[in-house]
Amino acid sequence: MTKEDKYAALIPAVHSLMSDEPDEIARMANLAALLHNEFQFWWTGFYRVADGDQLVLGPFQGPLACTRIRLGKGVCGTAWAEDRTVVVPDVEKFPGHIACSSESRSEIVVPVRFKGQVVAVLDIDSRELGTFDEVDANWLEKIADCVYGPQRDIWFAAGCFWGAQKFFKMIPGVEFTEVGFANGWVQNPTYEQVYTDTTGHAECVHVRYNPEIVSLKELVGLYFKIIDPLSLNRQGEDEGTRYRTGVYYEDERDFDILSKEFLRLEKKLGTELAVELRHITGFFRAEDYHQDYLDKNPGGYCHLSPEIFKMAAKLKKK
Ligand code: SME
């Protein structure tokens, strides 16, 4: 088996490990184990960007390693600073190489990006000289891109967040959801505080999705199906500014996509929507008992009709 074949055979396992787990440390831990065991490297692991100017040791397999590396230092700090993969056939010939283990002879470091920024590096050491080449670089870059995937975030306020979370969780391409409070003026509000309607927050679902499976345009189209877009501060029986509707984005480019869909619906309905379209200025995760509330309480209160969930259940993975 060539190493190309080995890498190619690993990809399905990488995808399933990465998409089944929302916690990044857990994903890195299993990825390090998968690569390490498959290739019997000497050291396989991650360093994560911390405090803006250094890397801190993350999940790894192999002997003990140094815990902190400064921007631009060593192979890891160089790969981070220059935002590129660095292949080192002989570590002794790399000026500034940091020898965590005297047995390491060659090394490869690949940047791990999230939303275009380097947030970690994948570092692999070998006890032989010249272990890594372009083939490793290409495959490991693909694999490093899977750590965060091409995921994007958007926040939907759709009235009571219990039913809204259940709905968004059912949509193929949605990889993670959490409920919380968006765009108010109090830090870390409790549900009780938000309930008084004095903190400015809207009950909201944070949706993380894979744009290769579901687009923002499709998501906002589905969102419009679960709200009354003309109702101000009221959805179903729930009334108050905390139950207002809104779409909150973090990436300005999303505004163009969203505003087109808002306009399209306004034209169709012949009137202005009562739905906010704003930058996300703050999101605070709600207490644990609100997360996945209707999974934990199947008969619990839900302002959305059963037809909405039937519709969501019919959505097919592309
Ligand atoms: N050799 C790395 C330091 C980390 S160890 O290889 C685990 C470097 O020069 O950045």
Side-chain angles (χ1 to χ4, degrees):
M1 212 187 201
T2 65
K3 68 180 171 185
E4 272 107 332
D5 294 338
K6 268 185 162 184
Y7 280 117
L10 274 191
I11 294 295
V14 171
H15 281 303
S16 88
L17 283 176
M18 298 304 102
S19 63
D20 289 349
E21 173 51 59
D23 186 275
E24 63 199 78
I25 304 281
R27 291 199 301 271
M28 288 179 185
N30 266 342
L31 189 49
L34 186 74
L35 289 168
H36 196 74
N37 290 328
E38 185 61 33
F39 290 94
Q40 306 291 312
F41 293 129
W42 174 239
W43 194 94
T44 313
F46 292 88
Y47 281 89
R48 300 164 64 228
V49 172
D51 310 325
D53 67 342
Q54 52 186 299
L55 293 166
V56 64
L57 183 62
F60 72 95
Q61 301 270 320
L64 298 187
C66 46
T67 58
R68 303 224 169 217
I69 298 173
R70 296 224 156 258
L71 179 67
K73 300 288 174 202
V75 188
C76 292
T78 302
W80 173 29
E82 296 178 9
D83 192 350
R84 65 177 179 92
T85 297
V86 181
V87 177
V88 182
D90 179 351
V91 296
E92 280 173 25
K93 296 200 174 121
F94 187 92
H97 168 259
I98 302 165
C100 292
S101 154
S102 57
E103 299 208 35
S104 169
R105 309 290 301 281
S106 61
E107 182 168 359
I108 185 168
V109 180
V110 180
V112 176
R113 296 184 192 85
F114 180 48
K115 294 178 185 167
Q117 294 279 322
V118 178
V119 291
V121 295
L122 168 61
D123 177 16
I124 304 180
D125 290 22
S126 160
R127 278 204 286 185
E128 268 102 62
L129 287 170
T131 297
F132 307 103
D133 56 21
E134 275 303 296
V135 172
D136 301 276
N138 288 337
W139 282 100
L140 291 171
E141 282 168 8
K142 269 198 197 93
I143 289 171
D145 283 345
C146 294
V147 175
Y148 291 93
Q151 66 191 25
R152 302 184 61 82
D153 294 287
I154 190 76
W155 289 261
F156 290 112
C160 175
F161 54 22
W162 291 343
Q165 181 178 31
K166 179 176 166 180
F167 174 76
F168 282 111
K169 274 176 71 172
M170 293 173 76
I171 296 171
V174 168
E175 296 190 336
F176 167 77
T177 60
E178 62 183 343
V179 295
F181 313 113
N183 284 29
W185 46 78
V186 174
Q187 301 290 304
N188 284 310
T190 63
Y191 181 74
E192 277 66 35
Q193 279 175 298
V194 173
Y195 205 81
T196 62
D197 246 4
T198 57
T199 69
H201 295 92
E203 287 201 8
C204 194
V205 189
H206 169 201
V207 172
R208 180 163 289 160
Y209 63 99
N210 180 343
E212 288 169 5
I213 302 177
V214 64
S215 66
L216 182 58
K217 184 177 160 192
E218 287 166 324
L219 279 176
V220 73
L222 289 164
Y223 165 73
F224 284 146
K225 292 197 167 117
I226 68 164
I227 57 165
D228 176 347
L230 302 182
S231 172
L232 184 65
N233 299 330
R234 184 186 178 105
Q235 293 294 311
E237 293 307 305
D238 302 309
E239 198 169 4
T241 56
R242 64 194 181 280
Y243 295 121
R244 69 184 181 270
T245 49
V247 183
Y248 308 108
Y249 54 88
E250 65 174 2
D251 185 335
E252 288 305 322
R253 287 169 301 180
D254 287 348
F255 174 79
D256 297 334
I257 298 166
L258 292 165
S259 58
K260 261 191 210 137
E261 297 314 303
F262 271 57
L263 272 177
R264 196 198 302 271
L265 185 60
E266 281 182 347
K267 270 204 191 122
K268 192 173 150 196
L269 300 177
T271 181
E272 217 177 293
L273 306 188
V275 187
E276 289 186 333
L277 177 55
R278 302 247 160 93
H279 203 270
I280 184 97
T281 57
F283 176 83
F284 298 97
R285 183 180 161 91
E287 294 84 346
D288 279 349
Y289 79 94
H290 290 292
Q291 308 297 333
D292 306 312
Y293 182 86
L294 290 173
D295 293 342
K296 298 181 220 163
N297 306 278
Y301 168 79
C302 181
H303 76 287
L304 300 176
S305 78
E307 277 62 47
I308 279 173
F309 298 108
K310 278 187 203 145
M311 179 265 286
K314 283 192 197 136
L315 296 170
K316 290 264 161 3
K317 229 180 170 133
K318 271 186 239 164

